[in-house]
Amino acid sequence: MLIRSRHRLSLGENDVTPESIYLSRRKFMSGVVGLGLAASLPRAALAGPDYEDVTKAKGPEWFEAQLADTRWNAITAEDKVTPFDDATHYNNFYEFGSDKSDPARYAGQLKTVPWTVAVDGEVGKPGQYALEDLITPSRFEERIYRLRCVEAWSMVIPWLGIPLADVIKRAEPTGKAKYVRFETLEDPKQMPGQASRFGLIDWPYREGLRMDEAMHPLAFLAVGMYGRVLPNQNGAPLRLVVPWKYGFKSIKSIVRVSLVESQPETSWHMLAPNEYGFYANVNPEVDHPRWSQATERRLPNSLFNPNVIDTLPFNGYAEEVAGLYQGMDLRKFY
Ligand code: MTE
C-alpha cells in the first residue's frame, strides 16, 4: 500500500485488502487510495459510500445499471468531502445566472434526457453519440478531487464518471489532433442566462485542453457525484473535471467534443485574455488581477470560521502533472 504525504496520489495497489481494514482506512486515511484497490475487493465492499445529507435522485436506467459496477474510491483525497448542500447551492453556471444561488434555482428546468454529444474534427470515428453510448463502454469510477475556483474558493467533490482518455481513444484521433475543444449546450429557452441582454459570455461556453492534458489519467468526464446522478446545477448530464486547473476549465453540460489542430478559443480567455489564460493551472505564485491565488477559502466557511488554507501548485497534483509543462514559463502560460 502506498500512503504518501497529504496531497499525494498513489497508483498501484494490488493487495487484496480485508473489507474491515479497507472500510476503517477509508474513514481515517491520510493518503490516497491506489487505482487498483477497488477492483481487487470482494463484491460486498463495492457498495457505494453513504454520503451524509445527499438528496437522492434516480438517474436514467443506463446510469443506474452502470452504477452497480462502479469502482468506488478509485482515487481519494485526505481532505474532508464538502457537504452535498454546499456543492449544489454555491455554483458557477452562467447559463442560469451569475449569482451563486441561480444555478440551483433555475437549472432544474434543463432537459438532460435524451442527450446527444457530437464527437468530431480530427477523428476516425466522428458521430452523434447518445450519452449512454459514449459512457457505458467504460466502467464507472468514483474520484474524490479538490475543485479550486479562480475566485479563491474550493471544495472537495466525489465525482462519478470515466477517464476522458477513454472517450478520446474510442474516437480514434488522427495524427493532426493536437487539442480537444468542448462546447456546452446553447439553448436560451432552457438557459435564461443565455437570453439575458446583459450577458458577457459569447455563447456557447467553450473550453479546451492540449491533447496530452486531455489524455492524462486524472482528466475526467463526470456524469454523477456523491453516488448519484449529476445534479443539473453541477453540469448534468456530462461535465469535464480537470482537478489541477481552475474550475472554469471544467465545462458543464457538454454537447460537443472536437479534436482540432490548433489551440481553440475558450470562453473566459475570450472575455478577458489578461485575466484568464488557456492553461489555467492552479498556481499560488501567479495572482489573478482581482484575487490573490496564494490561499483559498475551503467551503463550508463562515465569518467566524474563515477556513482559509494555502493553495498548492497544480492544486496538489503537481507530482502527477507538472511534467506536462516542463520548460514552459508558467507566468507567461497562465
Ligand atoms: N461551465 C459552463 N457551461 N458554464 C459556466 O458558467 N462555470 C465554470 C465551470 N464550468 C461554468 C462552467 C466555473 S467558473 C466553475 S468554478 C465551475 O464550473 C464550478 O463548478 P460547480 O458549480 O460544480 O462548483
Side-chain angles (χ1 to χ4, degrees):
M1 173 69 193
L2 294 168
I3 293 186
R4 299 197 194 143
S5 60
R6 181 165 166 242
H7 290 284
R8 280 289 305 121
L9 178 89
S10 66
L11 312 176
E13 159 73 75
N14 294 315
D15 305 337
V16 175
T17 311
E19 189 180 341
S20 56
I21 295 175
Y22 171 64
L23 293 175
S24 61
R25 195 168 59 198
R26 240 174 44 185
K27 265 190 198 152
F28 305 114
M29 193 158 30
S30 64
V32 174
V33 181
L35 278 171
L37 177 58
S40 66
L41 285 170
R43 184 96 197 154
L46 294 177
D50 205 8
Y51 295 108
E52 281 169 30
D53 301 326
V54 173
T55 308
K56 300 266 191 280
K58 217 170 165 50
E61 227 169 88
W62 67 267
F63 177 92
E64 296 300 324
Q66 196 81 351
L67 195 59
D69 194 30
T70 297
R71 202 173 274 148
W72 297 103
N73 270 272
I75 297 179
T76 72
E78 177 213 60
D79 314 42
K80 194 164 175 276
V81 167
T82 303
F84 181 78
D85 195 55
D86 293 281
T88 53
H89 288 85
Y90 191 89
N91 299 104
N92 279 335
F93 200 169
Y94 285 81
E95 284 83 342
F96 295 100
S98 56
D99 193 272
K100 293 282 183 287
S101 62
D102 284 340
R105 198 167 301 144
Y106 302 119
Q109 68 201 42
L110 178 67
K111 191 168 173 273
T112 59
V113 179
W115 192 268
T116 307
V117 182
V119 178
D120 57 19
E122 293 296 338
V123 291
K125 282 190 175 168
Q128 294 276 347
Y129 292 86
L131 180 60
E132 52 269 43
D133 294 338
L134 202 68
I135 300 296
T136 54
S138 300
R139 206 172 150 196
F140 273 2
E141 288 179 27
E142 182 184 55
R143 295 186 174 194
I144 303 178
Y145 281 161
R146 292 177 287 280
L147 173 74
R148 168 63 157 82
C149 178
V150 73
E151 297 163 344
W153 53 264
S154 65
M155 302 198 202
V156 182
I157 313 280
W159 302 105
L160 276 169
I162 67 167
L164 171 60
D166 286 10
V167 168
I168 295 177
K169 277 186 222 153
R170 286 198 280 272
E172 297 178 1
T174 72
K176 285 191 190 163
K178 301 281 185 289
Y179 293 86
V180 186
R181 178 185 182 278
F182 302 87
E183 207 174 283
T184 294
L185 177 71
E186 184 175 9
D187 184 353
K189 284 206 185 80
Q190 294 196 78
M191 298 175 143
Q194 291 179 337
S196 160
R197 283 187 299 124
F198 304 104
L200 295 168
I201 295 174
D202 182 10
W203 309 109
Y205 193 100
R206 282 157 252 193
E207 258 311 332
L209 295 172
R210 218 171 52 189
M211 195 64 173
D212 57 346
E213 298 178 315
M215 296 302 287
H216 192 280
L218 288 178
F220 200 58
L221 281 174
V223 290
M225 61 192 241
Y226 295 81
R228 50 154 281 177
V229 71
L230 209 55
N232 283 6
Q233 59 266 44
N234 295 88
L238 178 70
R239 84 174 273 172
L240 179 67
V241 186
V242 194
W244 69 94
K245 292 179 179 285
Y246 292 117
F248 66 83
K249 297 295 286 184
S250 292
I251 182 171
K252 298 177 169 181
S253 304
I254 297 168
V255 292
R256 183 179 296 274
V257 179
S258 309
L259 278 76
V260 294
E261 223 177 328
S262 40
Q263 185 176 304
E265 286 279 25
T266 54
S267 290
W268 289 100
H269 181 72
M270 286 158 76
L271 196 63
N274 59 327
E275 297 189 16
Y276 308 101
F278 173 79
Y279 284 94
N281 293 316
V282 174
N283 190 343
E285 287 174 14
V286 178
D287 286 338
H288 180 276
R290 273 171 285 143
W291 303 286
S292 158
Q293 300 297 353
T295 60
E296 65 201 58
R297 188 165 55 83
R298 175 63 55 85
L299 267 64
N301 76 320
S302 66
L303 200 57
F304 302 108
N305 176 24
N307 211 15
V308 172
I309 58 174
D310 286 345
T311 289
L312 296 167
F314 299 102
N315 203 20
Y317 301 95
E319 202 160 323
E320 290 75 27
V321 302
L324 295 173
Y325 310 101
Q326 220 154 27
M328 284 174 69
D329 177 354
L330 297 179
R331 288 188 176 275
K332 187 170 166 213
F333 297 102
Y334 55 93

